[in-house]
Amino acid sequence: MAVVGFAQAPHVRATEGTTNGVEMLVPVFAELFAETGLTKEDIGFWCSGSSDYLAARAFSFIAAVDAIGAYPPINESHVEMDGAWALYEAWLKIRTGEVDTALVYGFGKSSAGDLRRTLALQLDPYTVAPLWPDSVSIAAMQARLGIDAGLWSERAMAEVAARAHGGDAVDLLGEPYIADPLRRHDCAPITDGASAVILASGERARELRERPAWITGIEHRIDSGSLGARDLTTSPSTAASARAADVDGVEAAELHAPFTHQEILLRQAIGLGDDVSVNPSGGPLTGNPMFAAGLSRIGEAARLLFDGLHGRVLAHATSGPALQQNLVCVMEAR
Amino acid sequence: MPLSAPLRVGFDYTRSLGPVLGHFMTELRARRVVGVRGSDGRVHVPPVEYDPVTAAPLSEFVEVAAEGTVVTWSWMPKPLAGQPFDRPFAWAMVRLDGADTPLLHAVDVADPSAMSIGMRVRIRWAADPIGGITDIACFEPATNPLPTTYPQFAEPSTTPTRPSPQPAGADRLARGRPPGEGGGRAGDVTMVTTPIHLDVVHSVSPEESKYLRALAHGKLLGQRCPKCHKVYIPPRGACPVDGVPTTDEVELPDVGTVTTFCVVNVPFLGQRIKPPYVAAYVLLDGADIAFLHLVLGCAADEVRMGMRVRAVWKPAEDWGTTLENIDHFAPTGEPDAPYETYEGHL
């Protein structure tokens, strides 16, 4: 099975569109169909990732289905997760042999609400969420743990940001904290966006693309929902996923790290060497549309294979506070 | 520019606690902290119902101290709504003495320079504990002078049940509410109520914005799909058949046909009309999709499929960018529309 197409909406701070994602998705689907020569009738299975909490309305993903033009009825599913997990479901669906193509999409309009507060609602509802700890503050506590343990430094974090944005790490260290020890450059921007990927099985993939991105391993794992029970300086679920997906020999990695220290943490957890190119697309620090950014990592990594830039690549997606749940997808050209 | 409007969505989540969290909250109300011993011997605070590694159910409670050590922290210069303070404070993970896992909470210090990993802190209890995580108002440096008095509190079994007060300052958080009934000993905390409110700004699509602006002038504006030529009201960002935005504008009359309907007999929260009344799908002449509205002006049992109806508008001075400008639809008295004219819209 292979990724044969990828498209995404522009990363913007705030769209004028609805929280249903329709306005972002219509052009993304059109681009994918133009790129692959497929039409909506050719797609065997549709799967999306989005969140009603982010959209602040019930069944927002049903409204998004309008973007497909879902008549006659389509074979469709949804996960209340990043689109990367929708891709995992589509991968399973194709493996059943029931269909040979799938279109996977994710979308989120973070600008409609206060993202830091909305994300507090994914925390333990009994002992944590009633305090409304926000996503940036939790990441900041994780960053400090690693700094204290000598696993990374504010300087190393600034260097990650400088590589993503341009600029000089020393200058960045002169900026004020927004959540000590995190500065603005350590945090992914709040972004509205959508992305979509087409998967196809063996023969179909070869028809559709000269250099498909063949999936050789895709795995996801989750760590405890109890923040205090986790070792936040590493990511056991990422490490386990990477072992299961067999990441040996990858030349580039798209890592879904919404915070600079998390990129370093993930490199360490996966065991990526210095020779592995990390986030050549710019990564989430240059655009982090909720529920699409993980799927975009898979698309961006696949694109490296489409374009013949690499032979074996890794994509990572995350969800939950402080990298709680993680997915690793390894792809190669053949 | 598309139209937009703020919306506050909210719900008071009421959750039953079960034996582990129920005991934790009951003890908190008595200003004690208990953890639970995990499969590996670690003491988890807050307690977890199942071991994070082995998933074994846990039940061995261990009382821990109200004082502990900061494991990590971050600084919150501009607190968000609902957080423990509305002035700058620190978030911290605090390992209480006797516990092996840290608890996330706020530390009340004036400045980040007062914070450090390893610093000793202790619980500042809420004045009026009722069985929720916010019974811990916050932590404070252990070097602070001890409070001279806490309000008297009774043992859980004799603590009177009372409604959740509206707290102020550090106490303005969602509070647990002791229930009137449930498992465990009489008076144990078995439920926790957490009000959740999110503020959002909803935008409507460019197509819907034109429709809503036209309504403010008393006009019903639909749009035609450029592919299937169907007329949608409201117009849509994507034709649900073809997945393309609707384009050509079509002004529609305020007369149409009832395709299907129901008689509302059941009262519900927020109901504006006394039952029985009729909610009906009205297919405007020239439209290819029906919308939901009220049919009044006749007895509920006289409404029927195919009935011809006309909009009854509110006074023009009350119009806004909303379909509520039409107060309801009323029968025109014309003969009913033949079934074939609307059978494709059922």
Side-chain angles (χ1 to χ4, degrees):
Chain A
M1 200 184 312
V3 174
V4 296
F6 168 56
Q8 61 185 336
H11 293 152
V12 295
R13 176 60 181 83
T15 64
E16 289 183 354
T18 64
T19 57
N20 306 331
V22 167
E23 298 82 4
M24 294 188 286
L25 289 168
V26 166
V28 167
F29 292 167
E31 185 182 335
L32 264 185
F33 291 146
E35 182 183 329
T36 57
L38 293 169
T39 66
K40 69 171 185 178
E41 287 77 17
D42 296 320
I43 302 298
F45 181 61
W46 300 77
C47 200
S48 61
S50 69
S51 168
D52 279 359
Y53 274 88
L54 199 68
R57 57 170 296 179
F59 296 106
S60 58
F61 67 96
I62 296 292
V65 169
D66 271 7
I68 298 172
Y71 188 88
I74 54 169
N75 189 359
E76 184 267 344
S77 185
H78 174 260
V79 296
E80 189 88 1
M81 307 171 84
D82 187 285
W85 277 267
L87 184 139
Y88 187 87
E89 181 178 337
W91 177 80
L92 287 174
K93 189 79 166 183
I94 292 177
R95 288 198 70 180
T96 65
E98 196 182 311
V99 298
D100 63 1
T101 52
L103 193 153
V104 180
Y105 60 98
F107 65 93
K109 183 181 172 177
S110 301
S111 66
D114 184 341
L115 182 61
R116 290 173 73 165
R117 290 187 79 238
T118 306
L119 290 178
L121 300 183
Q122 66 188 330
L123 300 165
D124 179 295
Y126 304 97
T127 62
V128 186
L131 304 171
W132 292 87
D134 57 286
S135 49
V136 175
S137 294
I138 288 175
M141 283 189 277
Q142 180 183 40
R144 189 181 307 283
L145 279 167
I147 292 167
D148 186 59
L151 295 168
W152 52 79
S153 62
E154 291 182 38
R155 170 67 186 259
M157 289 155 59
E159 284 167 0
V160 170
R163 207 199 56 239
H165 294 293
D168 182 75
V170 176
D171 292 345
L172 289 176
L173 288 172
E175 296 293 318
Y177 292 118
I178 62 163
D180 186 348
L182 298 181
R183 297 173 173 85
R184 187 163 299 283
H185 64 251
D186 291 311
C187 309
I190 293 170
T191 312
D192 291 352
S195 62
V197 159
I198 293 182
L199 287 180
S201 59
E203 240 172 77
R204 202 81 175 91
R206 281 185 204 90
E207 289 166 19
L208 292 170
R209 179 133 230 147
E210 192 184 338
R211 287 173 57 91
W214 298 99
I215 296 174
T216 61
I218 181 167
E219 298 282 345
H220 67 98
R221 301 284 190 275
I222 191 166
D223 292 313
S224 171
S226 171
L227 271 176
R230 291 168 53 192
D231 176 358
L232 295 176
T233 64
T234 184
S235 175
S237 56
T238 301
S241 301
R243 271 195 305 278
D246 184 12
V247 301
D248 280 355
V250 299
E251 299 152 18
E254 282 286 336
L255 302 180
H256 188 187
F259 298 93
T260 51
H261 70 275
Q262 292 180 343
E263 183 178 310
I264 302 169
L265 185 161
L266 289 167
R267 288 187 75 128
Q268 293 171 351
I270 301 171
L272 297 174
D274 291 339
D275 54 334
V276 176
S277 163
V278 171
N279 287 348
S281 71
L285 293 173
T286 60
N288 185 40
M290 295 303 298
F291 302 94
L295 180 63
S296 289
R297 304 279 69 72
I298 296 175
E300 294 281 11
R303 199 174 263 172
L304 297 171
L305 302 179
F306 298 166
D307 296 345
L309 296 173
H310 289 288
R312 187 169 161 85
V313 297
L314 175 157
H316 158 268
T318 196
S319 167
L323 300 171
Q324 185 194 359
Q325 186 170 15
N326 296 279
L327 178 148
V328 171
C329 177
V330 179
M331 294 169 285
E332 65 182 23
R334 281 184 196 144
Chain B
M1 281 284 287
L3 289 166
S4 62
L7 178 73
R8 165 166 275 210
V9 289
F11 188 70
D12 288 357
Y13 285 87
T14 305
R15 293 185 169 92
S16 54
L17 289 165
V20 174
L21 288 166
H23 185 58
F24 174 66
M25 298 304 186
T26 301
E27 290 296 295
L28 276 186
R29 192 179 58 184
R31 300 203 177 102
R32 290 188 296 262
V33 184
V34 294
V36 72
R37 195 178 300 282
S39 302
D40 52 5
R42 286 196 297 173
V43 174
H44 294 274
V45 177
V48 290
E49 295 169 294
Y50 299 92
D51 187 86
V53 180
T54 66
L58 304 178
S59 58
E60 185 192 338
F61 293 104
V62 181
E63 185 167 353
V64 301
E67 187 170 319
T69 303
V70 169
V71 170
T72 185
W73 60 277
S74 61
W75 187 249
M76 190 58 184
K78 290 180 189 162
L80 304 173
Q83 294 184 340
F85 293 100
D86 49 19
R87 58 178 187 272
F89 69 96
W91 289 107
M93 297 187 73
V94 176
R95 187 187 298 116
L96 293 172
D97 295 348
D100 293 293
T101 64
L103 169 84
L104 192 160
H105 219 297
V107 183
D108 184 16
V109 291
D111 193 83
S113 64
M115 292 298 300
S116 61
I117 289 178
M119 77 183 279
R120 297 286 294 167
V121 291
R122 70 160 171 263
I123 291 172
R124 181 190 299 160
W125 294 102
D128 186 22
I130 48 175
I133 192 63
T134 51
D135 287 350
I136 299 175
C138 64
F139 283 82
E140 60 187 12
T143 50
N144 282 12
L146 277 166
T148 48
T149 56
Y150 271 119
Q152 287 298 307
F153 59 89
E155 287 302 309
S157 56
T158 56
T159 301
T161 298
R162 59 181 175 273
S164 171
Q166 280 301 321
D171 293 338
R172 69 194 156 84
L173 295 170
R175 304 298 299 270
R177 182 186 299 159
E181 54 190 50
R185 289 177 299 171
D188 278 4
V189 178
T190 61
M191 302 280 281
V192 65
T193 301
T194 311
I196 297 291
H197 293 279
L198 293 177
D199 290 296
V200 295
V201 175
H202 272 303
S203 309
V204 292
S205 67
E207 295 80 8
E208 288 165 322
S209 296
K210 285 186 177 176
Y211 155 79
L212 291 170
R213 288 189 169 114
L215 272 172
H217 298 287
K219 290 182 177 169
L220 291 162
L221 193 64
Q223 282 189 347
R224 196 182 297 278
C225 168
K227 282 199 174 171
C228 68
H229 307 298
K230 284 200 162 67
V231 173
Y232 291 98
I233 183 163
R236 311 168 76 111
C239 166
V241 175
D242 297 296
V244 297
T246 55
T247 48
D248 304 342
E249 290 178 7
V250 183
E251 192 177 337
L252 295 165
D254 64 356
V255 183
T257 301
V258 171
T259 60
T260 185
F261 66 96
C262 74
V263 181
V264 179
N265 287 300
V266 181
F268 56 85
L269 190 69
Q271 194 169 43
R272 296 184 195 178
I273 302 170
K274 192 172 158 31
Y277 62 93
V278 173
Y281 274 96
V282 175
L283 181 68
L284 295 180
D285 293 352
D288 288 294
I289 195 161
F291 58 75
L292 195 62
H293 217 298
L294 298 166
V295 172
L296 305 176
C298 63
D301 62 4
E302 288 174 25
V303 177
R304 55 200 178 269
M305 292 172 75
M307 181 183 242
R308 297 284 292 159
V309 291
R310 181 186 301 279
V312 176
W313 295 78
K314 288 178 180 167
E317 58 268 27
D318 296 339
W319 289 350
T321 50
T322 169
L323 188 58
E324 289 182 0
N325 295 351
I326 295 178
D327 185 74
H328 62 274
F329 281 79
T332 64
E334 297 169 83
D336 286 0
Y339 181 72
E340 306 81 65
T341 61
Y342 59 88
E343 68 176 337
H345 300 283
L346 294 172

